[in-house]
Amino acid sequence: MIFTPTSKVIVQGIMEPLGVTCAPLMKEYGTQVVAGISPGFGGQTLKGIPVFDMLEQALPLIGSVDAAVICTPPYAALDAALEAIAAGIRQVILISQGIPPLDMVHLIRKAEATETLLVGPNSPGIIVPGQILLGIHPPNLYTPGSVGLISRSGTLTYEVAWTLTQAGLGQSIGVSVGGDMIVGSSFPQWLQILDEDDRTEVIVLVGEIGGDSEEAAAHYIEEAIDKPVVAYIAGRSAPRGRRMGHAGAIIDSQIADFGPDVGSADSKVNAFKRAKIPVADRPSEIPTLVNELIKTSAQRSAG
């Protein structure tokens, strides 16, 4: 895993309302938050975290940084992310929501050119339970273990994590790719990361209606992922053709290769079933399916 307790982290927009909430939560969890960036607040501190006006002012004092967590207003997020990438930071987590789509297109191109992992926007970030928090996940819902949890929705990530925790199934990571229309990292990218992660035995993918990311994920799992995967699709009872809470979650779109019903709950569930991936009808069923896959995997290894 690329996130460890020794990772050095900065928070951009630390004195914004989101940053004032996020940074102390991360530090309390044990994350090494070495600095915060907020123009006009240089020289101040937040819960012992030194604040600088610009990232380039902080680097000579704090040295190299592993990850940047961005809590700026949406129209300032692109500049903050580009500043982080220019400073050599290769893990950028966008907590901010509502970042202009063209800004995201520009940022994704820059991230691809520099091999930067970009998470979000409109994401609670990443948590490696017991080790590091990069964002605003409620840490008390998670416990260390071997289930890798990836999701589009923040609150669903929390709910599924707590369901797993109550069932005695700890998590190797919890990550939300983000709920905005255009996001940095995709389900296939995270599936590959978790497939290569030694601590992850089973992957739980939590999707929702709208878009084609779940259909693409199902195809990728069938083609390239060796580890067992459990899927859950939220919004199965939502009315067709209705835009849901997350931007882009509209069902009546047509996208080539996935068929006319792409985006609907049925399209996503069927895509996973075609790929022979078990699909939970509700979050409470996920632990049972995970345990079955762990048992089957252990039997195969023994055989």
Side-chain angles (χ1 to χ4, degrees):
M1 192 65 69
I2 49 183
F3 307 100
T4 71
T6 60
S7 297
K8 292 166 66 177
V9 183
I10 60 156
V11 177
Q12 292 170 275
I14 192 171
M15 301 305 281
E16 300 293 335
L18 189 55
V20 169
T21 300
C22 179
L25 182 69
M26 290 165 53
K27 186 177 181 186
E28 184 180 344
Y29 197 64
T31 304
Q32 286 198 52
V33 183
V34 293
I37 312 298
S38 267
F41 292 90
Q44 299 186 29
T45 61
L46 176 67
K47 301 293 185 181
I49 303 167
V51 179
F52 298 85
D53 290 316
M54 299 175 65
L55 180 54
E56 64 182 24
Q57 295 170 334
L59 291 177
L61 298 174
I62 62 176
S64 62
V65 175
D66 299 297
V69 177
I70 296 179
C71 300
T72 65
Y75 288 91
L78 174 61
D79 285 344
L82 292 177
E83 185 182 26
I85 292 172
I89 300 171
R90 294 294 172 256
Q91 298 165 18
V92 176
I93 294 90
L94 296 158
I95 309 299
S96 310
Q97 65 175 323
I99 297 173
L102 286 178
D103 285 5
M104 280 306 302
V105 171
H106 181 101
L107 183 54
I108 289 169
R109 286 176 176 169
K110 186 67 174 179
E112 289 174 349
T114 55
E115 296 186 351
T116 299
L117 178 64
L118 193 63
V119 179
N122 192 7
S123 166
I126 297 167
I127 183 169
V128 179
Q131 296 197 41
I132 189 171
L133 171 63
L134 300 168
I136 54 174
H137 290 265
N140 59 308
L141 303 183
Y142 295 81
T143 188
S146 61
V147 180
L149 175 58
I150 51 178
S151 171
R152 279 170 65 187
S153 164
T155 51
L156 272 173
T157 315
Y158 315 153
E159 180 181 352
V160 173
W162 181 235
T163 301
L164 291 166
T165 294
Q166 289 181 306
L169 293 163
Q171 307 87 44
S172 57
I173 192 171
V175 57
S176 169
V177 298
D180 275 4
M181 185 180 298
I182 300 175
V183 294
S185 55
S186 63
F187 276 147
Q189 191 171 353
W190 278 101
L191 286 163
Q192 182 181 356
I193 289 172
L194 295 185
D195 199 45
E196 296 171 356
D197 175 43
D198 292 338
R199 292 186 311 223
T200 300
E201 291 183 30
V202 179
I203 300 168
V204 174
L205 187 150
V206 181
E208 59 186 28
I209 57 174
D212 68 333
S213 58
E214 290 79 7
E215 287 90 342
H219 179 72
Y220 185 77
I221 292 166
E222 189 175 24
E223 294 293 321
I225 301 301
D226 295 324
K227 289 182 179 176
V229 179
V230 170
Y232 169 68
I233 303 298
R236 293 170 75 166
S237 60
R240 291 181 62 86
R242 195 69 68 82
R243 185 176 292 276
M244 307 309 292
H246 283 176
I250 187 161
I251 304 173
D252 58 0
S253 61
Q254 287 192 2
I255 300 175
D257 299 331
F258 290 126
D261 292 325
V262 66
S264 69
D266 287 345
S267 169
K268 296 175 186 303
V269 170
N270 290 336
F272 284 115
K273 287 184 175 178
R274 281 195 300 270
K276 297 182 173 55
I277 298 159
V279 181
D281 289 329
R282 54 186 65 86
S284 59
E285 293 180 3
I286 294 174
T288 301
L289 294 176
V290 168
N291 278 320
E292 287 175 359
L293 289 179
I294 290 173
K295 184 177 179 180
T296 301
S297 180
Q299 289 172 346
R300 285 175 181 169
S301 298

